[in-house]
Amino acid sequence: MQDQRAHPSAGPRPEPGGRGRGHGPPWGGRHGGAEGYDGRGRRGDRLPWPSTLVVGVIVMVGTGATAHGQGREPLGLVARLLLVAAVAVLLVRHRHPVVAVAGTSAATLVYLGLGYPYGPVFLAVAVGCFGAIVSGHRKAAWWSLGALWAGHLLAAHWLYRWLPPKGDGPAPWAQEAFVTAWVVAIVAAAELLRVRREQWAAARAERDAAEKRRADEERLRMARELHDVLAHSISVINVQAGVGLALLDSDPEQARTALTTIKSASKEALGEVRQVLENLRTPGDAPRSPAPGLDRLPELVDQAAGAGLTVTVETDGTRVPVPPGADLAAFRIVQEALTNVVRHSGSRTARVGIAYGGAYLGLLVDDEGPATGDEAGGSGNGLVGMRERAAALGGTIDAGPRSDGGFRVTAELPLRPGGEDGPAARNGAGTEGAS
């Protein structure tokens, strides 16, 4: 058997810039966002007509309403065209955010340089800046806003002599302080939104990775259950089928016994497989039959006897209640160990030791050998499954050949969380099987 180990899912790999592949912002939408975010946290191919139209209405109507009393150039055709250009370029802010923020800043700078009234045209610049920063083009947004601020500063305090309106004087420095505060506020708000979106994307990526890990763990648990059930039962069936074929003519009664064992083993295997599959189809529902535990150890002994293996069971210590998880793991470990004896050992005897003591349950499965297969102590799926079961509960397991040619499996499983009183168990079956 090959050693196939399950590796925990690392989740989606992050793309440059810290965003996880396949995880957009937390709001919904056809493409993952309110206006077409794609699966990578970027805007999709749809043009943002609704929001751009709203911005355009606010800019056109608001500028006309605030133009009175400013003493600047009247709103003519050129001014309207510049306002339309400053807003229209926002249609490409999802596909080309750098073009959008640079275009709206340039149109706004020309608009202000020609002496037209102040107003909501700055809203278009804010939207373009937000789009660029949130999409990761922070330098482009900073340069565009910086150029707009510097250009307005030059026009208001130096170039005003040659720019309309005629007779205009330098702008008050309080106005420049307001513009500066406005620029800083836009940048700060956009950066805050960018950080929040990255946090949302990281949280979603972590949730998806956790869900994938849980699914992988459940799939691995199901694989272990099916392997343990089928490997044991099919091994018994295989041995009994060989016995039945060999004795079919010479000893029909013994052949009948072998066929009866095959029927019993196959029926039990089908029942356990059906239980596993029912749990898989209806996750979260209580199983219809209890999970196997050490109370079914006599059944394992009988099945092994049917395969020609004599099993001796020794118990040490006072039997105490075993948690369901540890009980199932102990049953499966013993089952897999006996299956390996049937399949890989030339010995027809095996010894099972169970030690109750302290906070641990000790297990021992021993056979005299020698190995009949390629390698009696191979690291196949069965041994890997035993180790995974023990590790999942915080226990330990050791499996390997003995110096005299036999094979030994020892395990310690905790009987309660955080139990550290392992020496009591180790003084029982665990140490009895240690070499």
Side-chain angles (χ1 to χ4, degrees):
M1 291 183 287
Q2 296 179 350
D3 187 0
Q4 298 177 351
R5 299 182 182 273
H7 297 277
S9 173
R13 295 182 180 179
E15 289 187 344
R19 291 189 297 273
R21 179 180 296 274
H23 302 288
W27 45 80
R30 181 178 177 182
H31 297 280
E35 291 185 4
Y37 275 95
D38 64 13
R40 298 183 181 180
R42 299 192 298 249
R43 295 286 188 170
D45 293 334
R46 296 197 312 173
L47 295 178
W49 286 101
S51 60
T52 304
L53 183 61
V54 171
V55 173
V57 171
I58 293 175
V59 169
M60 300 300 290
V61 175
T63 302
T66 59
H68 304 289
Q70 292 192 26
R72 297 178 66 81
E73 289 290 306
L75 290 175
L77 178 61
V78 175
R80 297 291 183 181
L81 291 177
L82 287 172
L83 291 177
V84 170
V87 174
V89 73
L90 296 178
L91 285 172
V92 300
R93 69 182 183 271
H94 298 167
R95 301 178 183 176
H96 308 288
V98 175
V99 173
V101 69
T104 190
S105 297
T108 303
L109 180 59
V110 174
Y111 172 87
L112 297 177
L114 293 179
Y116 294 115
Y118 294 99
V121 65
F122 295 110
L123 177 62
V125 178
V127 173
C129 179
F130 269 76
I133 289 181
V134 168
S135 63
H137 301 279
R138 304 164 65 192
K139 291 185 178 179
W142 294 347
W143 276 106
S144 298
L145 280 179
L148 176 59
W149 177 80
H152 178 268
L153 189 66
L154 288 175
H157 293 278
W158 182 44
L159 299 178
Y160 67 91
R161 300 179 181 87
W162 301 280
L163 295 176
K166 293 182 179 179
D168 192 18
W173 286 104
Q175 175 180 294
E176 295 307 322
F178 172 79
V179 173
T180 302
W182 171 82
V183 171
V184 172
I186 289 180
V187 172
E191 289 289 344
L192 178 61
L193 179 59
R194 178 188 63 83
V195 171
R196 290 297 299 164
R197 279 193 57 205
E198 290 182 354
Q199 291 175 346
W200 288 330
R204 170 171 288 188
E206 185 175 352
R207 288 195 302 269
D208 290 348
E211 291 176 2
K212 189 175 187 302
R213 282 195 299 271
R214 285 193 295 269
D216 290 342
E217 291 170 358
E218 181 66 12
R219 191 161 49 246
L220 180 60
R221 187 186 70 82
M222 292 293 183
R224 282 199 301 260
E225 288 292 317
L226 290 174
H227 173 274
D228 292 345
V229 170
L230 295 177
H232 177 76
S233 300
I234 292 178
S235 296
V236 173
I237 291 172
N238 180 64
V239 172
Q240 290 301 316
V243 172
L245 288 174
L247 302 177
L248 185 60
D249 296 327
S250 61
D251 192 347
E253 190 61 31
Q254 185 65 29
R256 180 186 298 273
T257 302
L259 292 176
T260 302
T261 302
I262 290 175
K263 180 181 179 180
S264 175
S266 60
K267 181 179 180 181
E268 181 178 354
L270 286 174
E272 293 201 30
V273 169
R274 187 178 296 113
Q275 177 184 343
V276 173
L277 294 180
E278 284 178 354
N279 293 339
L280 182 61
R281 292 192 187 99
T282 56
D285 293 352
R288 298 184 181 180
S289 58
L294 290 177
D295 57 340
R296 289 182 52 184
L297 190 58
E299 297 181 22
L300 287 183
V301 174
D302 292 341
Q303 290 179 359
L309 183 66
T310 302
V311 180
T312 303
V313 179
E314 301 175 357
T315 303
D316 182 46
T318 303
R319 183 168 183 174
V320 296
V322 180
D327 203 19
L328 174 61
F331 177 84
R332 294 302 188 198
I333 289 173
V334 174
Q335 183 184 54
E336 178 61 29
L338 293 179
T339 300
N340 287 338
V341 175
V342 172
R343 298 175 62 183
H344 303 300
S345 176
S347 175
R348 294 295 87 194
T349 61
R351 182 165 61 96
V352 176
I354 303 175
Y356 298 90
Y360 279 80
L361 172 69
L363 299 174
L364 164 71
V365 181
D366 225 350
D367 74 273
E368 301 298 329
T372 58
D374 295 335
E375 184 180 348
S379 56
N381 290 337
L383 296 179
V384 171
M386 288 193 291
R387 295 189 182 101
E388 290 173 346
R389 287 183 183 277
L393 297 172
T396 60
I397 193 167
D398 182 33
R402 305 189 319 190
S403 58
D404 58 359
F407 196 82
R408 173 171 295 153
V409 176
T410 58
E412 286 184 353
L413 303 177
L415 292 177
R416 57 177 180 268
E420 299 179 355
D421 191 13
R426 282 187 278 270
N427 290 334
T431 54
E432 185 181 352
S435 58

